[in-house]
Amino acid sequence: MSMWQKLWKKGQQKEEDTEHVEELNGEQTCNPFTEIYFLQHHTDIVRHLLIIDERRCVTAGDDGIVVVWDIQLCMKLIVLEAHIRPVTCLLSFRLKNKDSHLLITGSSDKHIKVWDIEQGKCVQDVTEHEASVKCLLPILDDLFLSAGEKLHLWTGSGILLDTCVLDKEKQEADISLLISTNQKNEKFVTACDKKLTVYSIKDSLNLDEVNYRICMLKILPPHLEAIRALIPVSDKLFASGSLDGTILLWSSETFAPLKKLNTMSEYKGKANVYPYSVQYIACENQRYLLVAIGCGFAIFDTLSNKLLCKKLKAHYSKVTQLTLLCNGLLLATCSEDGSIRLWGQRSQSSTGEELMLKSSMGLSPIERFLHVDIK
């Protein structure tokens, strides 16, 4: 049994005794590790949480609604009635040489919509995807990819440039995840069920016009179960996480698997609910992985392979996404239970002045959240 398994099972036994998830009763309640705030508007599962800037973030999910929040004031700014079916992906997009900040949303209603979030209005409704939109990715200059049954390459204004039809003999399921893997931003990796596939964007000049093509390069060794998370860690590293709880680190240069941060021998659990499944991974400082595991979260150090912290019972249902906010003072998690929670560590002896001092001591966001100086 790995050290991670021992730590996880020990924590699970302690928390399963009470099956306790912190709730608010009047004043904000604190436990020895966290203080929580609620952001509530969605009427169904919240699956996406995207940072826009230092003050704002966006959430979306199965109710088809997109909400822009002011995190510092914990209040709604804009509510967009975006889609008639679940929102499946979000992308923050800024056109080159333009000041406007765009939000691109994809949905199972087969639409891709481009929003001006300053004005709160839709500026483009793209219907040529012609299938459920599973994921979006910015690529090269002012271009983006969408994926599902096929791969599509678009301009930032929603003009279709190329389409790649998947080989159904090699990839039976739709593409569910996309990441870019290098600085030039012309290579990217897709996740399709248990498989990862490497692609590139080729360009050519034809009659003074640049033409773009999507080309497949390589299929990587599969996970044991379906891949649920895919994230670039650095220019040389990316990570994938799957339903069985495994987190794999890969080389962005050779695309070879390098190490495993987490393995579970009995990962299916009672009634095959996969209690340790990895739903989402975020990366901080090209080193730390913030991982949504089951109904909780954990933080790993990819250099030391250490587990830095864990919270097994963060929500009543599985955590779907998480991110650090306010330069590390808060960690936001959203869940299938429909809630968004803001977590922040505070020692019982710390005053407001001491917390403000810690926030300006030159610590990285991850060090600020953990209240430690990691070497």
Side-chain angles (χ1 to χ4, degrees), residues 133-298:
V133 185
K134 299 295 179 67
C135 44
L136 298 165
L137 178 73
I139 199 91
L140 301 177
D141 289 331
D142 287 352
L143 306 180
F144 72 92
L145 289 159
S146 65
E149 289 183 1
K150 303 174 184 178
L151 270 168
H152 297 280
L153 180 65
W154 311 84
T155 66
S157 56
I159 298 172
L160 182 62
L161 298 176
D162 191 32
T163 297
C164 178
V165 180
L166 305 183
D167 185 343
K168 289 302 180 181
E169 291 184 2
K170 295 181 179 179
Q171 300 188 32
E172 297 179 359
D174 291 351
I175 292 172
S176 58
L177 298 164
L178 283 169
I179 61 163
S180 179
T181 60
N182 65 345
Q183 280 186 325
K184 292 182 179 179
N185 208 24
E186 88 284 1
K187 289 184 181 179
F188 61 96
V189 175
T190 67
C192 182
D193 194 28
K194 304 174 185 179
K195 295 179 181 178
L196 296 172
T197 305
V198 185
Y199 291 85
S200 69
I201 303 293
K202 304 289 185 183
D203 57 27
S204 59
L205 190 63
N206 184 18
L207 298 176
D208 296 327
E209 187 175 284
V210 179
N211 294 322
Y212 296 93
R213 290 185 302 111
I214 303 169
C215 303
M216 190 181 80
L217 300 180
K218 188 176 183 179
I219 297 176
L220 306 185
H223 276 254
L224 288 175
E225 298 287 348
I227 297 164
R228 291 288 186 261
L230 188 61
I231 187 77
V233 178
S234 67
D235 293 335
K236 297 182 179 180
L237 201 67
F238 67 95
S240 57
S242 54
L243 200 59
D244 56 276
T246 301
I247 301 168
L248 281 175
L249 297 180
W250 304 80
S251 167
S252 297
E253 298 170 338
T254 65
F255 298 101
L258 300 177
K259 64 176 94 169
K260 293 182 181 180
L261 287 182
N262 184 39
T263 55
M264 309 299 295
S265 57
E266 299 176 4
Y267 58 81
K268 291 188 177 181
K270 296 178 181 179
N272 291 338
V273 296
Y274 297 92
Y276 310 109
S277 62
V278 174
Q279 289 87 236
Y280 186 79
I281 304 174
C283 183
E284 281 290 329
N285 202 29
Q286 300 187 14
R287 173 177 173 179
Y288 306 103
L289 300 184
L290 287 70
V291 187
I293 301 181
C295 298
F297 59 85

